[in-house]
């Protein structure tokens, strides 16, 4: 099997979750020229529709009749804060404890932000969004430097928690707080052998069972 495989991924999935799948694919199919592009969710959707990418790995996929969304797993969302925050010593937090907190968030057009907003609204919790960011690295840096609190995918902050730069608490709720991760491909398009093999690896979950 030879050919070219073009995969796009958002930063918060690509940098923290996709690498084991990519390594597995390289090991099993070194003859395939795999290109992985890190970019924003809307650019991925457009590129898959235009045929510039074969697959796109995104979080909180939005409905589009022209795109097929293949579920991968659900990422756990957790409360994140600096070590000096009042919630830093807690291992779990009720959503109500976030009421009126100074909150660092993603920009409003980012699907993960909309997912978190829906979860907060469903819990009747209002936070004070005083800082917004278009990428997770700047958001984490803000929490470390300026304080405040946020809700982020657990896998995205494990390194900072290990170093002691950030603290994490699970969210106490009847329903888990998660964000879905999925693969996008153009609906109706015949998949190449390389695409099918990559999808098989994504479904195999080399990282271990996700939530």
């Amino acid at each position: 099997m030879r050919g070219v495989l073009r995969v796009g991924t958002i930063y918060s999935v690509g940098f923290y979750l996709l690498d084991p799948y990519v390594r597995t694919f390289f090991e099993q199919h070194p003859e395939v020229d795999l290109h992985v592009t890190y970019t924003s969710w809307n650019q991925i959707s457009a590129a898959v529709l235009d045929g510039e990418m074969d697959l796109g790995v995104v979080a909180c996929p939005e409905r589009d009749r022209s795109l097929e969304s293949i579920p991968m797993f659900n990422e756990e969302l957790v409360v994140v804060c600096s070590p000096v925050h009042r919630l830093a010593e807690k291992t779990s937090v009720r959503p109500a404890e976030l009421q009126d907190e100074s909150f660092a968030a993603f920009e409003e057009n980012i699907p993960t932000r909309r997912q978190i907003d829906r979860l907060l609204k469903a819990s009747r919790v209002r936070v004070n969004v005083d800082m917004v960011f278009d990428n997770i690295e700047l958001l984490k840096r803000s929490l470390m430097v300026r304080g405040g609190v946020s809700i982020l995918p657990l896998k995205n902050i494990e390194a900072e928690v290990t170093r002691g730069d950030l603290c994490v608490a699970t969210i106490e709720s009847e329903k888990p707080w998660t964000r879905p991760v999925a693969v996008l491909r153009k609906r109706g398009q015949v998949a190449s052998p390389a695409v099918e093999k990559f999808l098989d690896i994504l479904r195999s979950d080399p990282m271990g069972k996700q939530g």
Side-chain angles (χ1 to χ4, degrees):
M1 181 180 66
R2 298 184 179 276
V4 176
L5 177 60
R6 303 158 302 173
V7 177
T9 178
I10 59 172
Y11 300 101
S12 63
V13 171
F15 290 149
Y16 299 97
L17 298 175
L18 198 61
D19 187 57
Y21 301 95
V22 171
R23 289 202 308 268
T24 299
F25 186 84
F26 274 131
E27 292 169 359
Q28 295 182 3
H29 307 287
E31 70 282 4
V32 176
D33 190 5
L34 173 61
H35 297 273
V36 180
T37 301
Y38 299 86
T39 186
S40 62
W41 67 274
N42 50 346
Q43 290 179 324
I44 290 173
S45 297
V48 172
L49 283 173
D50 292 341
E52 298 172 2
M53 292 179 182
D54 301 300
L55 298 170
V57 185
V58 300
C60 307
E62 302 196 327
R63 292 182 180 180
D64 188 316
R65 293 180 180 179
S66 300
L67 292 173
E68 179 185 1
S69 177
I70 305 169
M72 286 181 63
F73 47 74
N74 292 320
E75 282 190 271
E76 181 183 4
L77 296 173
V78 293
V79 172
V80 185
C81 63
S82 75
V84 298
H85 193 275
R86 68 176 184 86
L87 298 175
E89 298 299 320
K90 298 181 74 69
T91 57
S92 63
V93 171
R94 291 176 291 104
E97 295 180 78
L98 301 176
Q99 181 70 30
D100 297 326
E101 276 289 339
S102 174
F103 197 86
F106 291 110
E107 291 182 346
E108 290 184 357
N109 69 322
I110 295 178
T112 296
R113 163 69 184 275
R114 293 199 282 269
Q115 171 76 348
I116 293 169
D117 285 350
R118 285 192 292 267
L119 291 167
L120 288 169
K121 184 177 181 180
S123 297
R124 296 183 174 88
V125 172
R126 297 186 68 176
V127 294
N128 294 321
V129 177
D130 56 5
M131 294 291 288
V132 295
F133 301 90
D134 65 355
N135 71 80
I136 197 166
E137 296 304 317
L138 291 177
L139 196 160
K140 291 190 293 186
R141 177 61 59 180
S142 171
L143 292 175
M144 287 186 274
V145 174
R146 296 170 56 91
V149 66
S150 188
I151 295 173
L152 297 172
L154 176 59
K155 289 290 184 181
N156 287 194
I157 46 86
E158 286 181 330
E160 289 81 6
V161 171
T162 300
R163 292 197 302 265
D165 294 331
L166 291 173
C167 296
V168 62
T170 59
I171 299 172
E172 298 178 24
S173 178
E174 291 183 3
K175 294 183 178 180
W177 286 39
T178 62
R179 72 167 184 174
V181 175
V183 184
L184 303 180
R185 66 176 175 182
K186 191 172 183 179
R187 191 176 297 279
Q189 185 170 334
V190 177
S192 69
V195 166
E196 290 292 359
K197 292 297 183 183
F198 193 75
L199 287 174
D200 287 343
I201 290 171
L202 293 181
R203 295 185 185 105
S204 73
D205 195 2
M207 295 173 55
K209 184 175 178 58
Q210 299 288 325

